[in-house]
Amino acid sequence: MKNLFLFLLLLSALPVWSQHRDYPIQAVPFTQVKLSDNFWLPRIKTNHTVTIPASFERCENTGRVKNFEMAAAHSGKFCTIYPFDDTDIYKTIEGASFSLSLYPDKKLELYIDTLIMKVQAAQEPDGYLYTARTINPEEPHHWAGKERWEKERELSHELYNSGHLYEAAAAHYLATGKRNLLDIALRNADLVCATFGQDKKHVAPGHQVVEMGLVKLYRITGKKEYLQTAKYFIEERGHYTGYDAKSKDPWKNGAYWQDHIPVVEQKEAVGHAVRAGYLYAAMADVAALTDDKAFLSAIDSIWNNVVTKKIYVQGGVGAVGSGERFGDNYELPNATAYNETCAAIANVYWNHRMFLLHGESKYIDILEKSLYNGLISGVGMDGKSFFYTNAMEIKNHYHHKDMEAERSGWFPCSCCPTNITRLIPSVPGYVYAQKGDAVYVNLFISGKSSLTVNKKVVEIEQKNNYPWDGKLAFHLNPKASQAFNLLVRIPGWSQGQAMPSDLYTFTKASDTKVTITVNGKPENYTVSNGYAVLNRKWKKGDVVEVNLPMDVQRITANTKVEDDQGKIALQRGPLIYCAEWPDNNGKVSNLILPKGTLLTPEYKADLLNGVTVLKGEVTAIKIDSQNNAVSTVKQNFTAIPYYAWAHRGKGEMAVWFPETITDVSIFSK
Ligand code: FUB
Ligand code: ZN
C-alpha cells in the first residue's frame, strides 16, 4: 500500500520535473526494487533494526536532541562539541525515511515526528535553523561568529546544517508524503536564497552539501530559486580574495575548501575529500539540470584525476589525515591512509551522477568498488561499530596515531556513522536505470523490480549469489511482450581491468570470457559503453544468464605509487581482499606472496557472516627468539574480503603484499 502511495507520489512529482531538463538517464527509484539478496538485505535490515535506533539513541544520549530543545527555549548552553552536530539528527532521519519505505514502522515514524517537532521549535521565525547560535545568540559556538553566516566560509557549518536538513526533508517527504520536515526545510531554504546570491551576501559555503540539498528541494517544488542558488554557491568558489594564492598550505590558499580557483578551472581533486565529493556531485546535478557544459568538463577532468592518481585500490579516497583531504598525485600511503567513510559515501553519490550523465559503465565500476569494499568496511557487522578512517594496513610495530585498528561505537564527530544510516537503505536505488526504452542493469543484487518501459510494466528478477559467484540470472516478465534494450554492465574487472585507468593493473587477464545466454542459448550482443546490449522482443519467462569469470587476480599499482612498489593486492569479483592476523599465525607484515602463488577460493559459511576466503601457501619471514636472525618458512595463508576485517580483535592487517623478500618491511614504517 505504502509503495503504491510512493509510486503515485513520485508520479505526481513528474509534471514538475518534466518541465525541465535533467539527467539523460534516470535511476529506477529504490522503492521499485525489492531486494531478496543475501549480501545486501541483511545489511539493510541491520541498518533498520540496529544502526538507526542506535544512532537516534546516541543523538539523545550525547545531547544532540537537547541542543534543539534548548534552542527552542532560548536557554542553556550548547552541550555537544561541533556546530554541525545537528546534522546527525537530520542524516538519521534521512536514513530512517528510506528505511521506512522498505520496512513500514509506525513507532519509528511517530518518533521521527516528535523529533521533527523539536526541530521545528528550534527554528527561528525567519527560517534560520542552527542550534549552536539560537540557544544563546550572545554566545554562539566559537566556530560560528557573532553574526549569522559570518564564519560560514571557514568553520561555522551553518549552510552544511541546512544542506543535510534539505536532504533529510526530501527523503522524509518522498517516503511518507508528510510535509512537516519539508516545510521546515523550505522556510530555511527561502531564507538562504533571500540571503545569498550575486546581488546579495556572497559566500562559498564552507562545507558543501547545501547545493545537493537545494537541488532536491528544487526537484520537489519546481522553485527555480533553489536551483539558481545551488548554482550560485558552486560558482562562488574561487573568487575569495583573502587567501594567499602562493601558499602551498591548502588552508591558506583555499584548496582545502576547493575555493582556490573557480570550479570550472579545477582539473584536480583537492582539499577535504567529503567537501570535494559533495561539490562534484552537486556540479553533476546542476550540469544535468541546466546543461552547463563548463561544469561538466570540470568534473570530467577531476574524475579522471581521481581515477588515474588519487584512489585507493579498495575504492577509498582522501589519503591524507591532516585536512582529511586528497593528497598529491600518486600520494596513496598505506600506513597512514585516511579514507574517511563519508568520503567513500560522497564518491558513490558522485559516481552515480556521472553515470546518469554519461551512461558509461566505468562510473559504476568505481561505485561498485567503493560500495563493496572501502565503504561498507566503515560499518561493522553488528551495525553499531564504525570506522571513521579505513586503514590500508595495520602493523604491530608501526601504528600511526590517526589510524583506527578497531571500530568504535560512536565518535565525538559522528559524521560517518550517521552517513552510513542513509547510504545503506538507498542501495536498491543504484541497481537499475533507464533511458527511454533502454534498461540498464548496473548492480547484481538479487530481488524483484517493477519498471515501466514504453508505458508497460516489466518485472525483472535477479537471482544470483553475488559477490561470491559470477553466475547471474535475470528473469524477465513483461506484462505484454515488447522489444527493448537490456543493457547489462560488464564489469571492468571481468574483462581484465582493475581500474578504468593505469593506476592499478591485473598481472594477468582471465582466460575465461564473459558469456551471455538467453533462454539457454548463447546470445550475440554488442558492447556499448561497457554494457552488453541485448536487444530483442522480450516475453514473459525469458531468462538471461551472464557468467562473469571469478578468477583470483593479482593487482599491481602504478610504479609512481611509492608504497605499493614491489607489492601486489588481491581481488576476486568486485571484492578486494586483505590478510588479517587471526588467520595467519597472528601476523601479516611478514608475509610474501611470490609470483605464481596459487590461491584458491573457499566459501566459509561460518566465518564473518559467510565469506569466500582465498587460501594458499606463502612465504613468511620469521625472526628468532633472540631477535638477531631471520629465516623464511612456508606458511598457510588466508585472505578475507577487505570489508570484513577488524571483527576479531586488534592486530595486523595488510592489503598489499611484497612479492619478494626485498620489499618486506617488518621493522620499518
Ligand atoms: O565538517 C563536517 C564533517 O566532519 C566532515 O565532512 C568530516 O570530514 C568531519 O570533519
Ligand atoms: Zn565522516
Side-chain angles (χ1 to χ4, degrees):
M1 190 59 196
K2 169 143 281 159
N3 289 330
L4 178 67
F5 166 73
L6 272 171
F7 183 63
L8 293 174
L9 192 68
L10 287 168
L11 273 186
S12 69
L14 277 179
V16 175
W17 294 350
S18 58
Q19 288 160 21
H20 306 281
R21 61 171 84 240
D22 206 329
Y23 285 105
I25 302 175
Q26 292 286 313
V28 173
F30 74 99
T31 44
Q32 281 168 241
V33 185
K34 300 272 160 272
L35 302 193
S36 54
D37 194 73
N38 285 335
F39 190 83
W40 284 106
L41 197 56
R43 283 181 166 73
I44 293 172
K45 271 195 183 138
T46 304
N47 188 62
H48 185 81
T49 55
V50 180
T51 317
I52 289 170
S55 194
F56 278 136
E57 202 180 302
R58 284 159 179 163
C59 285
E60 301 269 4
N61 294 343
T62 56
R64 282 162 169 77
V65 175
K66 190 171 168 208
N67 282 336
F68 281 91
E69 290 165 355
M70 289 189 294
H74 297 285
S75 81
K77 195 165 176 346
F78 185 77
C79 66
T80 59
I81 302 174
Y82 299 105
F84 53 82
D85 288 337
D86 295 358
T87 63
D88 290 319
I89 293 180
Y90 301 149
K91 280 189 276 179
T92 313
I93 292 179
E94 184 179 344
S97 302
F98 289 143
S99 209
L100 276 177
S101 348
L102 306 172
Y103 305 107
D105 181 336
K106 270 279 154 245
K107 211 167 134 211
L108 179 61
E109 207 176 321
L110 279 177
Y111 173 71
I112 294 173
D113 283 339
T114 61
L115 273 184
I116 293 173
M117 274 155 62
K118 291 182 187 180
V119 173
Q120 186 182 8
Q123 185 168 38
E124 297 193 17
D126 65 355
Y128 186 75
L129 186 47
Y130 182 70
T131 65
R133 180 184 310 281
T134 305
I135 291 173
N136 179 4
E138 291 306 308
E139 269 186 59
H141 192 283
H142 63 284
W143 284 13
K146 282 276 172 225
E147 300 298 324
R148 286 177 179 185
W149 325 112
E150 193 183 290
K151 290 196 181 170
E152 170 55 39
R153 186 184 305 279
E154 297 93 1
L155 272 179
S156 77
H157 289 75
E158 279 151 294
L159 291 173
Y160 174 75
N161 285 13
S162 294
H164 276 302
L165 169 67
Y166 306 165
E167 299 244 307
H172 182 255
Y173 170 67
L174 291 173
T176 63
K178 293 185 188 169
R179 292 191 61 103
N180 44 353
L181 191 58
L182 182 66
D183 286 338
I184 298 170
L186 297 182
R187 268 197 299 281
N188 184 267
D190 290 340
L191 173 72
V192 165
C193 293
T195 307
F196 297 101
Q198 277 314 341
D199 48 355
K200 303 169 205 165
K201 204 181 258 306
H202 282 238
V203 81
H207 193 315
Q208 298 87 334
V209 82
V210 67
E211 306 81 354
M212 292 165 80
L214 280 168
V215 166
K216 287 192 179 158
L217 296 186
Y218 165 69
R219 285 213 168 90
I220 288 171
T221 62
K223 195 164 171 183
K224 281 199 295 295
E225 288 78 1
Y226 298 154
L227 177 60
Q228 283 158 356
T229 307
K231 190 167 197 285
Y232 159 75
F233 279 143
I234 295 170
E235 287 174 334
E236 186 64 20
R237 311 200 92 75
H239 298 294
Y240 179 60
T241 51
Y243 298 122
D244 172 4
K246 292 209 180 81
S247 171
K248 291 260 175 282
D249 182 339
W251 274 291
K252 295 198 176 129
N253 64 22
Y256 172 80
W257 297 271
Q258 300 79 38
D259 198 14
H260 52 310
I261 48 173
V263 289
V264 293
E265 290 167 29
Q266 297 191 23
K267 294 196 162 39
E268 185 177 342
V270 294
H272 186 271
V274 186
R275 285 169 164 86
Y278 290 167
L279 168 65
Y280 309 148
M283 285 171 73
D285 280 344
V286 174
L289 288 161
T290 65
D291 198 25
D292 192 312
K293 300 266 190 300
F295 276 13
L296 198 59
S297 145
I299 47 176
D300 283 349
S301 302
I302 296 168
W303 188 86
N304 276 321
N305 172 252
V306 171
V307 169
T308 57
K309 299 177 180 74
K310 297 198 177 184
I311 188 166
Y312 280 96
V313 73
Q314 40 68 295
V317 291
V320 177
S322 155
E324 309 181 297
R325 64 183 166 86
F326 283 100
D328 289 338
N329 288 337
Y330 302 108
E331 186 183 357
L332 294 163
N334 290 322
T336 56
Y338 196 75
N339 280 339
E340 184 179 340
T341 300
C342 285
I345 292 173
N347 203 34
V348 163
Y349 292 152
W350 178 32
N351 275 281
H352 189 230
R353 286 162 167 83
M354 293 301 278
F355 159 75
L356 297 175
L357 282 170
H358 295 301
E360 288 178 54
S361 67
K362 62 185 183 183
Y363 302 109
I364 304 296
D365 284 354
I366 298 291
L367 182 154
E368 180 185 67
K369 180 178 267 295
S370 181
L371 199 58
Y372 280 85
N373 300 289
L375 192 160
I376 50 167
S377 54
V379 54
M381 284 161 187
D382 61 0
K384 53 183 179 180
S385 57
F386 305 90
F387 274 137
Y388 187 115
T389 61
N390 290 277
M392 293 298 290
E393 76 180 17
I394 301 292
K395 286 180 185 174
N396 289 340
H397 60 275
Y398 175 78
H399 188 224
H400 191 271
K401 65 174 176 30
D402 286 346
M403 292 315 307
E404 295 160 276
E406 284 178 301
R407 292 186 180 79
S408 312
W410 190 254
F411 309 93
C413 169
S414 57
C415 50
C416 299
T418 52
N419 232 349
I420 283 282
T421 65
R422 66 185 189 136
L423 187 282
I424 297 289
S426 72
V427 165
Y430 299 120
V431 178
Y432 298 101
Q434 272 182 267
K435 183 181 185 181
D437 65 359
V439 175
Y440 290 85
V441 183
N442 277 328
L443 297 180
F444 309 125
I445 301 184
S446 292
K448 271 192 190 165
S449 341
S450 180
L451 282 64
T452 308
V453 185
N454 292 328
K455 301 202 177 117
K456 290 182 209 137
V457 175
V458 175
E459 203 176 77
I460 302 182
E461 183 172 12
Q462 285 199 46
K463 290 184 184 171
N464 64 49
N465 184 26
Y466 198 77
W468 314 118
D469 196 335
K471 286 194 181 71
L472 313 172
F474 307 89
H475 296 248
L476 278 88
N477 279 314
K479 271 258 159 345
S481 300
Q482 62 156 317
F484 63 89
N485 280 333
L486 186 71
L487 305 177
V488 181
R489 182 175 68 96
I490 306 296
W493 59 258
S494 70
Q495 298 191 305
Q497 192 187 58
M499 180 64 73
S501 73
D502 67 354
L503 187 55
Y504 303 108
T505 313
F506 290 153
T507 56
K508 181 178 170 294
S510 164
D511 296 329
T512 326
K513 296 275 167 273
V514 175
T515 59
I516 301 184
T517 61
V518 176
N519 301 330
K521 296 203 186 86
E523 178 78 355
N524 282 333
Y525 60 90
T526 52
V527 176
S528 171
N529 290 329
Y531 290 84
V533 183
L534 307 178
N535 182 296
R536 58 192 279 145
K537 189 165 183 188
W538 298 100
K539 57 177 189 337
K540 231 187 199 52
D542 280 342
V543 182
V544 177
E545 284 170 300
V546 177
N547 205 349
L548 305 173
M550 297 289 272
D551 311 40
V552 178
Q553 296 284 1
R554 287 168 83 97
I555 305 173
T556 54
N558 188 306
T559 50
K560 292 184 182 129
V561 183
E562 243 176 70
D563 263 23
D564 302 341
Q565 287 169 4
K567 297 184 183 153
I568 58 112
L570 299 169
Q571 177 165 357
R572 180 175 179 272
L575 299 181
I576 297 292
Y577 278 73
C578 70
E580 217 191 358
W581 66 277
D583 312 303
N584 294 285
N585 287 353
K587 194 166 178 64
V588 299
S589 60
N590 59 334
L591 302 180
I592 302 167
L593 266 71
K595 283 198 175 88
T597 303
L598 183 70
L599 292 172
T600 317
E602 200 177 304
Y603 187 71
K604 295 260 182 205
D606 52 354
L607 183 68
L608 299 163
N609 286 353
V611 288
T612 294
V613 300
L614 307 181
K615 287 193 156 274
E617 194 184 58
V618 302
T619 308
I621 297 192
K622 293 275 172 215
I623 303 165
D624 77 348
S625 54
Q626 312 293 306
N627 273 351
N628 59 14
V630 292
S631 59
T632 60
V633 292
K634 288 284 172 201
Q635 185 178 302
N636 287 336
F637 170 81
T638 300
I640 59 165
Y642 171 82
Y643 76 76
W645 82 279
H647 284 93
R648 296 169 293 172
K650 202 167 165 177
E652 294 202 331
M653 182 277 287
V655 174
W656 290 96
F657 305 95
E659 289 197 291
T660 64
I661 199 158
T662 47
D663 288 303
V664 180
S665 63
I666 24 179
F667 306 116
S668 68
K669 188 173 152 194

